[in-house]
Amino acid sequence: MKYKLLSLNVGRPETYETDKGELQSAYRKTPVGDTTYLTHLNFEGDEQADKKHHGGKDKAVCLYPAQHYRHWEEHYGKSFSFPSFGENITVEGIKEENVRIGDIYSLGDAVLQVSEPRKPCYIIARTHGIDDFPARVTEKGYTGFYLRVLREGNVPPGAYMTLIEQHPDGVTVEDVNEVRYHDRNNKRKIKEITSVDPLSESLKQALLKLL
């Protein structure tokens, strides 16, 4: 399975004005038109403002599916340009319901592994001035997800993200979102998800607390 990279985006922390005051964040990323090197922590030129909740090896790359943009544009009656969800890579056709925790993909010279769903936070609401945005994202399940970097390398614009290895446990990003937001008392499912070795340690511990 191959999915096209439509936008490669980086950004550094900055302070900007929102309708609720100043916000320091690296959420407002900018598409880059040149080949960019991906390290185990991030793309060159990318950084996180809140390193407690963002970044690190398990969250080196944030991916958002490009087709979700069309849903949100219809839902809110406004246009959203890449990367309106603060993602590093905007990829067409990839879906939370099909992507498994632990799946391994190539992207340019780099190799990445799915580590956990992305958790929408207040910054999405503050950036776009839409208070219910995080709630609608989790309700719909259009969260996107994070990947860790197994092999560093150059990533050119317009590259294809190609599935190398599908994880045998079969736990999808959608499965994790369902337990995380809608089925928090499902102990059987929590045990199944937390037994998946490539799941990020921080999310694994958070889910185990539900037990």
Side-chain angles (χ1 to χ4, degrees), residues 162-198:
T162 304
L163 180 65
I164 297 175
E165 183 180 324
Q166 192 172 52
H167 198 271
D169 286 356
V171 173
T172 67
V173 171
E174 182 180 66
D175 291 334
V176 182
N177 281 335
E178 181 65 23
V179 165
R180 200 176 194 182
Y181 303 117
H182 310 297
D183 196 17
R184 294 167 64 87
N185 295 318
N186 191 331
K187 293 184 178 182
R188 180 194 62 80
K189 196 67 178 178
I190 292 171
K191 289 177 181 178
E192 180 185 349
I193 291 170
T194 54
S195 69
V196 178
D197 189 60

PDB file of all heavy atoms in Angstrom, residues 162-198:
ATOM      1  N   THR A 162       5.082   4.139   1.945  1.00  0.00           N
ATOM      2  CA  THR A 162       4.834   2.765   1.505  1.00  0.00           C
ATOM      3  C   THR A 162       4.878   1.799   2.681  1.00  0.00           C
ATOM      4  O   THR A 162       5.840   1.794   3.456  1.00  0.00           O
ATOM      5  CB  THR A 162       5.882   2.344   0.454  1.00  0.00           C
ATOM      6  OG1 THR A 162       5.863   3.277  -0.626  1.00  0.00           O
ATOM      7  CG2 THR A 162       5.586   0.952  -0.077  1.00  0.00           C
ATOM      8  N   LEU A 163       3.841   0.986   2.818  1.00  0.00           N
ATOM      9  CA  LEU A 163       3.788   0.001   3.889  1.00  0.00           C
ATOM     10  C   LEU A 163       4.826  -1.086   3.644  1.00  0.00           C
ATOM     11  O   LEU A 163       4.834  -1.739   2.607  1.00  0.00           O
ATOM     12  CB  LEU A 163       2.396  -0.621   3.971  1.00  0.00           C
ATOM     13  CG  LEU A 163       2.180  -1.675   5.057  1.00  0.00           C
ATOM     14  CD1 LEU A 163       2.312  -1.053   6.451  1.00  0.00           C
ATOM     15  CD2 LEU A 163       0.807  -2.336   4.910  1.00  0.00           C
ATOM     16  N   ILE A 164       5.722  -1.271   4.624  1.00  0.00           N
ATOM     17  CA  ILE A 164       6.753  -2.308   4.545  1.00  0.00           C
ATOM     18  C   ILE A 164       6.318  -3.548   5.306  1.00  0.00           C
ATOM     19  O   ILE A 164       6.492  -4.682   4.854  1.00  0.00           O
ATOM     20  CB  ILE A 164       8.091  -1.798   5.144  1.00  0.00           C
ATOM     21  CG1 ILE A 164       8.627  -0.616   4.352  1.00  0.00           C
ATOM     22  CG2 ILE A 164       9.120  -2.921   5.192  1.00  0.00           C
ATOM     23  CD1 ILE A 164       9.879  -0.014   4.978  1.00  0.00           C
ATOM     24  N   GLU A 165       5.757  -3.320   6.478  1.00  0.00           N
ATOM     25  CA  GLU A 165       5.398  -4.446   7.355  1.00  0.00           C
ATOM     26  C   GLU A 165       4.156  -4.096   8.175  1.00  0.00           C
ATOM     27  O   GLU A 165       4.129  -3.065   8.854  1.00  0.00           O
ATOM     28  CB  GLU A 165       6.569  -4.759   8.282  1.00  0.00           C
ATOM     29  CG  GLU A 165       6.354  -5.949   9.195  1.00  0.00           C
ATOM     30  CD  GLU A 165       7.549  -6.199  10.096  1.00  0.00           C
ATOM     31  OE1 GLU A 165       8.703  -5.992   9.642  1.00  0.00           O
ATOM     32  OE2 GLU A 165       7.337  -6.598  11.251  1.00  0.00           O
ATOM     33  N   GLN A 166       3.145  -4.944   8.094  1.00  0.00           N
ATOM     34  CA  GLN A 166       1.924  -4.747   8.867  1.00  0.00           C
ATOM     35  C   GLN A 166       2.036  -5.520  10.178  1.00  0.00           C
ATOM     36  O   GLN A 166       2.395  -6.690  10.184  1.00  0.00           O
ATOM     37  CB  GLN A 166       0.715  -5.227   8.072  1.00  0.00           C
ATOM     38  CG  GLN A 166      -0.622  -4.805   8.656  1.00  0.00           C
ATOM     39  CD  GLN A 166      -1.769  -5.135   7.723  1.00  0.00           C
ATOM     40  OE1 GLN A 166      -1.908  -6.267   7.275  1.00  0.00           O
ATOM     41  NE2 GLN A 166      -2.599  -4.147   7.417  1.00  0.00           N
ATOM     42  N   HIS A 167       1.725  -4.828  11.280  1.00  0.00           N
ATOM     43  CA  HIS A 167       1.893  -5.474  12.580  1.00  0.00           C
ATOM     44  C   HIS A 167       0.871  -6.590  12.766  1.00  0.00           C
ATOM     45  O   HIS A 167      -0.328  -6.409  12.508  1.00  0.00           O
ATOM     46  CB  HIS A 167       1.771  -4.455  13.714  1.00  0.00           C
ATOM     47  CG  HIS A 167       2.345  -4.951  14.996  1.00  0.00           C
ATOM     48  ND1 HIS A 167       1.599  -5.663  15.914  1.00  0.00           N
ATOM     49  CD2 HIS A 167       3.610  -4.898  15.502  1.00  0.00           C
ATOM     50  CE1 HIS A 167       2.367  -5.997  16.939  1.00  0.00           C
ATOM     51  NE2 HIS A 167       3.591  -5.544  16.721  1.00  0.00           N
ATOM     52  N   PRO A 168       1.309  -7.749  13.256  1.00  0.00           N
ATOM     53  CA  PRO A 168       0.414  -8.914  13.343  1.00  0.00           C
ATOM     54  C   PRO A 168      -0.691  -8.805  14.385  1.00  0.00           C
ATOM     55  O   PRO A 168      -1.697  -9.511  14.294  1.00  0.00           O
ATOM     56  CB  PRO A 168       1.376 -10.067  13.682  1.00  0.00           C
ATOM     57  CG  PRO A 168       2.552  -9.411  14.336  1.00  0.00           C
ATOM     58  CD  PRO A 168       2.697  -8.097  13.647  1.00  0.00           C
ATOM     59  N   ASP A 169      -0.544  -7.942  15.393  1.00  0.00           N
ATOM     60  CA  ASP A 169      -1.556  -7.877  16.450  1.00  0.00           C
ATOM     61  C   ASP A 169      -2.887  -7.295  15.973  1.00  0.00           C
ATOM     62  O   ASP A 169      -3.927  -7.551  16.566  1.00  0.00           O
ATOM     63  CB  ASP A 169      -1.040  -7.070  17.646  1.00  0.00           C
ATOM     64  CG  ASP A 169      -0.014  -7.857  18.460  1.00  0.00           C
ATOM     65  OD1 ASP A 169       0.211  -9.034  18.133  1.00  0.00           O
ATOM     66  OD2 ASP A 169       0.562  -7.287  19.403  1.00  0.00           O
ATOM     67  N   GLY A 170      -2.846  -6.495  14.929  1.00  0.00           N
ATOM     68  CA  GLY A 170      -4.086  -6.024  14.315  1.00  0.00           C
ATOM     69  C   GLY A 170      -4.835  -4.942  15.056  1.00  0.00           C
ATOM     70  O   GLY A 170      -6.016  -4.698  14.789  1.00  0.00           O
ATOM     71  N   VAL A 171      -4.213  -4.277  16.013  1.00  0.00           N
ATOM     72  CA  VAL A 171      -4.864  -3.180  16.746  1.00  0.00           C
ATOM     73  C   VAL A 171      -4.676  -1.889  15.953  1.00  0.00           C
ATOM     74  O   VAL A 171      -3.562  -1.428  15.741  1.00  0.00           O
ATOM     75  CB  VAL A 171      -4.265  -3.021  18.160  1.00  0.00           C
ATOM     76  CG1 VAL A 171      -4.817  -1.771  18.841  1.00  0.00           C
ATOM     77  CG2 VAL A 171      -4.567  -4.251  19.000  1.00  0.00           C
ATOM     78  N   THR A 172      -5.780  -1.317  15.513  1.00  0.00           N
ATOM     79  CA  THR A 172      -5.700  -0.133  14.669  1.00  0.00           C
ATOM     80  C   THR A 172      -5.707   1.158  15.489  1.00  0.00           C
ATOM     81  O   THR A 172      -6.052   1.159  16.678  1.00  0.00           O
ATOM     82  CB  THR A 172      -6.880  -0.090  13.687  1.00  0.00           C
ATOM     83  OG1 THR A 172      -8.090   0.099  14.436  1.00  0.00           O
ATOM     84  CG2 THR A 172      -6.958  -1.363  12.849  1.00  0.00           C
ATOM     85  N   VAL A 173      -5.358   2.238  14.825  1.00  0.00           N
ATOM     86  CA  VAL A 173      -5.462   3.565  15.448  1.00  0.00           C
ATOM     87  C   VAL A 173      -6.906   3.818  15.866  1.00  0.00           C
ATOM     88  O   VAL A 173      -7.169   4.359  16.950  1.00  0.00           O
ATOM     89  CB  VAL A 173      -4.968   4.648  14.467  1.00  0.00           C
ATOM     90  CG1 VAL A 173      -5.280   6.045  15.003  1.00  0.00           C
ATOM     91  CG2 VAL A 173      -3.470   4.497  14.216  1.00  0.00           C
ATOM     92  N   GLU A 174      -7.839   3.423  15.033  1.00  0.00           N
ATOM     93  CA  GLU A 174      -9.258   3.581  15.360  1.00  0.00           C
ATOM     94  C   GLU A 174      -9.631   2.803  16.626  1.00  0.00           C
ATOM     95  O   GLU A 174     -10.389   3.297  17.464  1.00  0.00           O
ATOM     96  CB  GLU A 174     -10.115   3.108  14.186  1.00  0.00           C
ATOM     97  CG  GLU A 174     -11.609   3.288  14.407  1.00  0.00           C
ATOM     98  CD  GLU A 174     -12.423   2.814  13.221  1.00  0.00           C
ATOM     99  OE1 GLU A 174     -12.419   1.591  12.949  1.00  0.00           O
ATOM    100  OE2 GLU A 174     -13.055   3.660  12.570  1.00  0.00           O
ATOM    101  N   ASP A 175      -9.098   1.590  16.783  1.00  0.00           N
ATOM    102  CA  ASP A 175      -9.359   0.795  17.982  1.00  0.00           C
ATOM    103  C   ASP A 175      -8.918   1.538  19.243  1.00  0.00           C
ATOM    104  O   ASP A 175      -9.625   1.552  20.258  1.00  0.00           O
ATOM    105  CB  ASP A 175      -8.624  -0.546  17.917  1.00  0.00           C
ATOM    106  CG  ASP A 175      -9.183  -1.487  16.868  1.00  0.00           C
ATOM    107  OD1 ASP A 175     -10.378  -1.370  16.532  1.00  0.00           O
ATOM    108  OD2 ASP A 175      -8.414  -2.337  16.383  1.00  0.00           O
ATOM    109  N   VAL A 176      -7.746   2.131  19.180  1.00  0.00           N
ATOM    110  CA  VAL A 176      -7.218   2.859  20.345  1.00  0.00           C
ATOM    111  C   VAL A 176      -8.078   4.084  20.635  1.00  0.00           C
ATOM    112  O   VAL A 176      -8.412   4.372  21.789  1.00  0.00           O
ATOM    113  CB  VAL A 176      -5.749   3.267  20.131  1.00  0.00           C
ATOM    114  CG1 VAL A 176      -5.217   3.985  21.366  1.00  0.00           C
ATOM    115  CG2 VAL A 176      -4.889   2.042  19.821  1.00  0.00           C
ATOM    116  N   ASN A 177      -8.459   4.807  19.588  1.00  0.00           N
ATOM    117  CA  ASN A 177      -9.320   5.982  19.776  1.00  0.00           C
ATOM    118  C   ASN A 177     -10.652   5.597  20.404  1.00  0.00           C
ATOM    119  O   ASN A 177     -11.181   6.320  21.253  1.00  0.00           O
ATOM    120  CB  ASN A 177      -9.575   6.673  18.433  1.00  0.00           C
ATOM    121  CG  ASN A 177      -8.413   7.531  17.988  1.00  0.00           C
ATOM    122  OD1 ASN A 177      -7.632   7.999  18.803  1.00  0.00           O
ATOM    123  ND2 ASN A 177      -8.298   7.749  16.685  1.00  0.00           N
ATOM    124  N   GLU A 178     -11.208   4.478  19.987  1.00  0.00           N
ATOM    125  CA  GLU A 178     -12.500   4.039  20.505  1.00  0.00           C
ATOM    126  C   GLU A 178     -12.427   3.815  22.024  1.00  0.00           C
ATOM    127  O   GLU A 178     -13.310   4.249  22.773  1.00  0.00           O
ATOM    128  CB  GLU A 178     -12.929   2.757  19.797  1.00  0.00           C
ATOM    129  CG  GLU A 178     -14.266   2.203  20.230  1.00  0.00           C
ATOM    130  CD  GLU A 178     -15.439   3.116  19.902  1.00  0.00           C
ATOM    131  OE1 GLU A 178     -15.312   3.963  18.987  1.00  0.00           O
ATOM    132  OE2 GLU A 178     -16.475   3.007  20.581  1.00  0.00           O
ATOM    133  N   VAL A 179     -11.363   3.149  22.477  1.00  0.00           N
ATOM    134  CA  VAL A 179     -11.200   2.910  23.913  1.00  0.00           C
ATOM    135  C   VAL A 179     -10.854   4.199  24.649  1.00  0.00           C
ATOM    136  O   VAL A 179     -11.366   4.470  25.742  1.00  0.00           O
ATOM    137  CB  VAL A 179     -10.117   1.833  24.160  1.00  0.00           C
ATOM    138  CG1 VAL A 179      -9.673   1.826  25.609  1.00  0.00           C
ATOM    139  CG2 VAL A 179     -10.639   0.460  23.777  1.00  0.00           C
ATOM    140  N   ARG A 180     -10.030   4.986  24.046  1.00  0.00           N
ATOM    141  CA  ARG A 180      -9.555   6.209  24.694  1.00  0.00           C
ATOM    142  C   ARG A 180     -10.671   7.228  24.942  1.00  0.00           C
ATOM    143  O   ARG A 180     -10.694   7.906  25.972  1.00  0.00           O
ATOM    144  CB  ARG A 180      -8.479   6.845  23.797  1.00  0.00           C
ATOM    145  CG  ARG A 180      -7.560   7.831  24.483  1.00  0.00           C
ATOM    146  CD  ARG A 180      -6.508   8.292  23.504  1.00  0.00           C
ATOM    147  NE  ARG A 180      -5.418   8.976  24.140  1.00  0.00           N
ATOM    148  CZ  ARG A 180      -4.377   9.505  23.482  1.00  0.00           C
ATOM    149  NH1 ARG A 180      -4.300   9.379  22.163  1.00  0.00           N
ATOM    150  NH2 ARG A 180      -3.416  10.121  24.131  1.00  0.00           N
ATOM    151  N   TYR A 181     -11.631   7.297  24.018  1.00  0.00           N
ATOM    152  CA  TYR A 181     -12.644   8.343  24.106  1.00  0.00           C
ATOM    153  C   TYR A 181     -14.076   7.852  24.317  1.00  0.00           C
ATOM    154  O   TYR A 181     -14.911   8.613  24.789  1.00  0.00           O
ATOM    155  CB  TYR A 181     -12.601   9.200  22.835  1.00  0.00           C
ATOM    156  CG  TYR A 181     -11.249   9.805  22.570  1.00  0.00           C
ATOM    157  CD1 TYR A 181     -10.522   9.474  21.428  1.00  0.00           C
ATOM    158  CD2 TYR A 181     -10.675  10.699  23.468  1.00  0.00           C
ATOM    159  CE1 TYR A 181      -9.277  10.023  21.186  1.00  0.00           C
ATOM    160  CE2 TYR A 181      -9.432  11.252  23.243  1.00  0.00           C
ATOM    161  CZ  TYR A 181      -8.732  10.909  22.101  1.00  0.00           C
ATOM    162  OH  TYR A 181      -7.491  11.444  21.866  1.00  0.00           O
ATOM    163  N   HIS A 182     -14.371   6.586  23.963  1.00  0.00           N
ATOM    164  CA  HIS A 182     -15.766   6.161  23.970  1.00  0.00           C
ATOM    165  C   HIS A 182     -16.041   4.874  24.750  1.00  0.00           C
ATOM    166  O   HIS A 182     -17.182   4.609  25.093  1.00  0.00           O
ATOM    167  CB  HIS A 182     -16.257   5.968  22.527  1.00  0.00           C
ATOM    168  CG  HIS A 182     -15.955   7.125  21.625  1.00  0.00           C
ATOM    169  ND1 HIS A 182     -16.490   8.382  21.835  1.00  0.00           N
ATOM    170  CD2 HIS A 182     -15.162   7.222  20.517  1.00  0.00           C
ATOM    171  CE1 HIS A 182     -16.052   9.204  20.883  1.00  0.00           C
ATOM    172  NE2 HIS A 182     -15.243   8.527  20.086  1.00  0.00           N
ATOM    173  N   ASP A 183     -15.037   4.071  24.999  1.00  0.00           N
ATOM    174  CA  ASP A 183     -15.267   2.749  25.603  1.00  0.00           C
ATOM    175  C   ASP A 183     -14.234   2.495  26.698  1.00  0.00           C
ATOM    176  O   ASP A 183     -13.575   1.462  26.731  1.00  0.00           O
ATOM    177  CB  ASP A 183     -15.185   1.681  24.497  1.00  0.00           C
ATOM    178  CG  ASP A 183     -15.785   0.350  24.913  1.00  0.00           C
ATOM    179  OD1 ASP A 183     -16.538   0.328  25.903  1.00  0.00           O
ATOM    180  OD2 ASP A 183     -15.508  -0.664  24.246  1.00  0.00           O
ATOM    181  N   ARG A 184     -14.134   3.434  27.615  1.00  0.00           N
ATOM    182  CA  ARG A 184     -13.043   3.441  28.589  1.00  0.00           C
ATOM    183  C   ARG A 184     -13.161   2.354  29.655  1.00  0.00           C
ATOM    184  O   ARG A 184     -12.226   2.132  30.409  1.00  0.00           O
ATOM    185  CB  ARG A 184     -12.970   4.820  29.262  1.00  0.00           C
ATOM    186  CG  ARG A 184     -12.567   5.925  28.310  1.00  0.00           C
ATOM    187  CD  ARG A 184     -12.797   7.306  28.909  1.00  0.00           C
ATOM    188  NE  ARG A 184     -11.995   7.555  30.070  1.00  0.00           N
ATOM    189  CZ  ARG A 184     -10.752   8.046  30.056  1.00  0.00           C
ATOM    190  NH1 ARG A 184     -10.173   8.320  28.894  1.00  0.00           N
ATOM    191  NH2 ARG A 184     -10.096   8.270  31.167  1.00  0.00           N
ATOM    192  N   ASN A 185     -14.296   1.683  29.713  1.00  0.00           N
ATOM    193  CA  ASN A 185     -14.472   0.615  30.707  1.00  0.00           C
ATOM    194  C   ASN A 185     -14.293  -0.777  30.114  1.00  0.00           C
ATOM    195  O   ASN A 185     -14.539  -1.775  30.805  1.00  0.00           O
ATOM    196  CB  ASN A 185     -15.856   0.722  31.350  1.00  0.00           C
ATOM    197  CG  ASN A 185     -16.022   1.993  32.167  1.00  0.00           C
ATOM    198  OD1 ASN A 185     -15.115   2.391  32.885  1.00  0.00           O
ATOM    199  ND2 ASN A 185     -17.166   2.634  32.040  1.00  0.00           N
ATOM    200  N   ASN A 186     -13.874  -0.836  28.869  1.00  0.00           N
ATOM    201  CA  ASN A 186     -13.695  -2.126  28.201  1.00  0.00           C
ATOM    202  C   ASN A 186     -12.333  -2.709  28.577  1.00  0.00           C
ATOM    203  O   ASN A 186     -11.333  -2.488  27.892  1.00  0.00           O
ATOM    204  CB  ASN A 186     -13.821  -1.952  26.684  1.00  0.00           C
ATOM    205  CG  ASN A 186     -13.913  -3.275  25.955  1.00  0.00           C
ATOM    206  OD1 ASN A 186     -13.383  -4.294  26.394  1.00  0.00           O
ATOM    207  ND2 ASN A 186     -14.591  -3.255  24.809  1.00  0.00           N
ATOM    208  N   LYS A 187     -12.289  -3.459  29.686  1.00  0.00           N
ATOM    209  CA  LYS A 187     -11.022  -3.974  30.198  1.00  0.00           C
ATOM    210  C   LYS A 187     -10.365  -4.953  29.227  1.00  0.00           C
ATOM    211  O   LYS A 187      -9.136  -4.981  29.087  1.00  0.00           O
ATOM    212  CB  LYS A 187     -11.242  -4.637  31.552  1.00  0.00           C
ATOM    213  CG  LYS A 187     -11.651  -3.653  32.642  1.00  0.00           C
ATOM    214  CD  LYS A 187     -11.759  -4.330  33.997  1.00  0.00           C
ATOM    215  CE  LYS A 187     -12.121  -3.313  35.073  1.00  0.00           C
ATOM    216  NZ  LYS A 187     -12.190  -3.928  36.417  1.00  0.00           N
ATOM    217  N   ARG A 188     -11.179  -5.765  28.560  1.00  0.00           N
ATOM    218  CA  ARG A 188     -10.615  -6.724  27.605  1.00  0.00           C
ATOM    219  C   ARG A 188      -9.879  -5.997  26.491  1.00  0.00           C
ATOM    220  O   ARG A 188      -8.758  -6.373  26.125  1.00  0.00           O
ATOM    221  CB  ARG A 188     -11.733  -7.583  27.006  1.00  0.00           C
ATOM    222  CG  ARG A 188     -11.225  -8.621  25.977  1.00  0.00           C
ATOM    223  CD  ARG A 188     -12.344  -9.204  25.176  1.00  0.00           C
ATOM    224  NE  ARG A 188     -13.044  -8.204  24.394  1.00  0.00           N
ATOM    225  CZ  ARG A 188     -12.587  -7.728  23.233  1.00  0.00           C
ATOM    226  NH1 ARG A 188     -11.432  -8.149  22.734  1.00  0.00           N
ATOM    227  NH2 ARG A 188     -13.273  -6.814  22.578  1.00  0.00           N
ATOM    228  N   LYS A 189     -10.508  -4.937  25.975  1.00  0.00           N
ATOM    229  CA  LYS A 189      -9.889  -4.197  24.879  1.00  0.00           C
ATOM    230  C   LYS A 189      -8.649  -3.433  25.354  1.00  0.00           C
ATOM    231  O   LYS A 189      -7.642  -3.359  24.646  1.00  0.00           O
ATOM    232  CB  LYS A 189     -10.905  -3.222  24.276  1.00  0.00           C
ATOM    233  CG  LYS A 189     -10.508  -2.691  22.909  1.00  0.00           C
ATOM    234  CD  LYS A 189     -10.527  -3.781  21.863  1.00  0.00           C
ATOM    235  CE  LYS A 189     -10.182  -3.240  20.490  1.00  0.00           C
ATOM    236  NZ  LYS A 189     -10.149  -4.296  19.467  1.00  0.00           N
ATOM    237  N   ILE A 190      -8.715  -2.887  26.560  1.00  0.00           N
ATOM    238  CA  ILE A 190      -7.562  -2.166  27.106  1.00  0.00           C
ATOM    239  C   ILE A 190      -6.372  -3.112  27.232  1.00  0.00           C
ATOM    240  O   ILE A 190      -5.239  -2.768  26.873  1.00  0.00           O
ATOM    241  CB  ILE A 190      -7.907  -1.529  28.459  1.00  0.00           C
ATOM    242  CG1 ILE A 190      -8.919  -0.399  28.270  1.00  0.00           C
ATOM    243  CG2 ILE A 190      -6.651  -1.000  29.145  1.00  0.00           C
ATOM    244  CD1 ILE A 190      -9.483   0.149  29.567  1.00  0.00           C
ATOM    245  N   LYS A 191      -6.617  -4.316  27.739  1.00  0.00           N
ATOM    246  CA  LYS A 191      -5.531  -5.294  27.889  1.00  0.00           C
ATOM    247  C   LYS A 191      -4.962  -5.685  26.525  1.00  0.00           C
ATOM    248  O   LYS A 191      -3.748  -5.848  26.368  1.00  0.00           O
ATOM    249  CB  LYS A 191      -6.042  -6.526  28.629  1.00  0.00           C
ATOM    250  CG  LYS A 191      -6.312  -6.272  30.104  1.00  0.00           C
ATOM    251  CD  LYS A 191      -6.891  -7.510  30.788  1.00  0.00           C
ATOM    252  CE  LYS A 191      -7.184  -7.241  32.253  1.00  0.00           C
ATOM    253  NZ  LYS A 191      -7.805  -8.419  32.923  1.00  0.00           N
ATOM    254  N   GLU A 192      -5.846  -5.816  25.557  1.00  0.00           N
ATOM    255  CA  GLU A 192      -5.395  -6.171  24.205  1.00  0.00           C
ATOM    256  C   GLU A 192      -4.513  -5.078  23.618  1.00  0.00           C
ATOM    257  O   GLU A 192      -3.454  -5.352  23.045  1.00  0.00           O
ATOM    258  CB  GLU A 192      -6.607  -6.391  23.301  1.00  0.00           C
ATOM    259  CG  GLU A 192      -6.249  -6.758  21.865  1.00  0.00           C
ATOM    260  CD  GLU A 192      -7.471  -6.850  20.965  1.00  0.00           C
ATOM    261  OE1 GLU A 192      -8.606  -6.841  21.477  1.00  0.00           O
ATOM    262  OE2 GLU A 192      -7.286  -6.923  19.732  1.00  0.00           O
ATOM    263  N   ILE A 193      -4.940  -3.829  23.789  1.00  0.00           N
ATOM    264  CA  ILE A 193      -4.185  -2.701  23.225  1.00  0.00           C
ATOM    265  C   ILE A 193      -2.848  -2.521  23.932  1.00  0.00           C
ATOM    266  O   ILE A 193      -1.811  -2.335  23.283  1.00  0.00           O
ATOM    267  CB  ILE A 193      -5.028  -1.409  23.325  1.00  0.00           C
ATOM    268  CG1 ILE A 193      -6.218  -1.488  22.362  1.00  0.00           C
ATOM    269  CG2 ILE A 193      -4.171  -0.182  23.015  1.00  0.00           C
ATOM    270  CD1 ILE A 193      -7.232  -0.372  22.559  1.00  0.00           C
ATOM    271  N   THR A 194      -2.844  -2.588  25.255  1.00  0.00           N
ATOM    272  CA  THR A 194      -1.611  -2.339  26.008  1.00  0.00           C
ATOM    273  C   THR A 194      -0.600  -3.483  25.874  1.00  0.00           C
ATOM    274  O   THR A 194       0.561  -3.322  26.249  1.00  0.00           O
ATOM    275  CB  THR A 194      -1.907  -2.083  27.498  1.00  0.00           C
ATOM    276  OG1 THR A 194      -2.682  -3.165  28.022  1.00  0.00           O
ATOM    277  CG2 THR A 194      -2.670  -0.779  27.670  1.00  0.00           C
ATOM    278  N   SER A 195      -1.037  -4.594  25.332  1.00  0.00           N
ATOM    279  CA  SER A 195      -0.098  -5.702  25.105  1.00  0.00           C
ATOM    280  C   SER A 195       0.652  -5.554  23.785  1.00  0.00           C
ATOM    281  O   SER A 195       1.573  -6.320  23.505  1.00  0.00           O
ATOM    282  CB  SER A 195      -0.843  -7.042  25.113  1.00  0.00           C
ATOM    283  OG  SER A 195      -1.683  -7.172  23.981  1.00  0.00           O
ATOM    284  N   VAL A 196       0.274  -4.557  22.983  1.00  0.00           N
ATOM    285  CA  VAL A 196       0.949  -4.319  21.701  1.00  0.00           C
ATOM    286  C   VAL A 196       2.270  -3.618  21.987  1.00  0.00           C
ATOM    287  O   VAL A 196       2.288  -2.466  22.431  1.00  0.00           O
ATOM    288  CB  VAL A 196       0.067  -3.475  20.757  1.00  0.00           C
ATOM    289  CG1 VAL A 196       0.806  -3.198  19.446  1.00  0.00           C
ATOM    290  CG2 VAL A 196      -1.247  -4.194  20.477  1.00  0.00           C
ATOM    291  N   ASP A 197       3.355  -4.286  21.742  1.00  0.00           N
ATOM    292  CA  ASP A 197       4.671  -3.783  22.141  1.00  0.00           C
ATOM    293  C   ASP A 197       5.026  -2.415  21.549  1.00  0.00           C
ATOM    294  O   ASP A 197       5.570  -1.567  22.259  1.00  0.00           O
ATOM    295  CB  ASP A 197       5.746  -4.816  21.767  1.00  0.00           C
ATOM    296  CG  ASP A 197       7.099  -4.451  22.336  1.00  0.00           C
ATOM    297  OD1 ASP A 197       7.214  -4.348  23.573  1.00  0.00           O
ATOM    298  OD2 ASP A 197       8.038  -4.244  21.537  1.00  0.00           O
ATOM    299  N   PRO A 198       4.738  -2.127  20.263  1.00  0.00           N
ATOM    300  CA  PRO A 198       5.142  -0.831  19.708  1.00  0.00           C
ATOM    301  C   PRO A 198       4.311   0.361  20.180  1.00  0.00           C
ATOM    302  O   PRO A 198       4.649   1.502  19.855  1.00  0.00           O
ATOM    303  CB  PRO A 198       4.975  -1.029  18.195  1.00  0.00           C
ATOM    304  CG  PRO A 198       4.946  -2.493  17.977  1.00  0.00           C
ATOM    305  CD  PRO A 198       4.292  -3.046  19.208  1.00  0.00           C
TER     306      PRO A 198
END
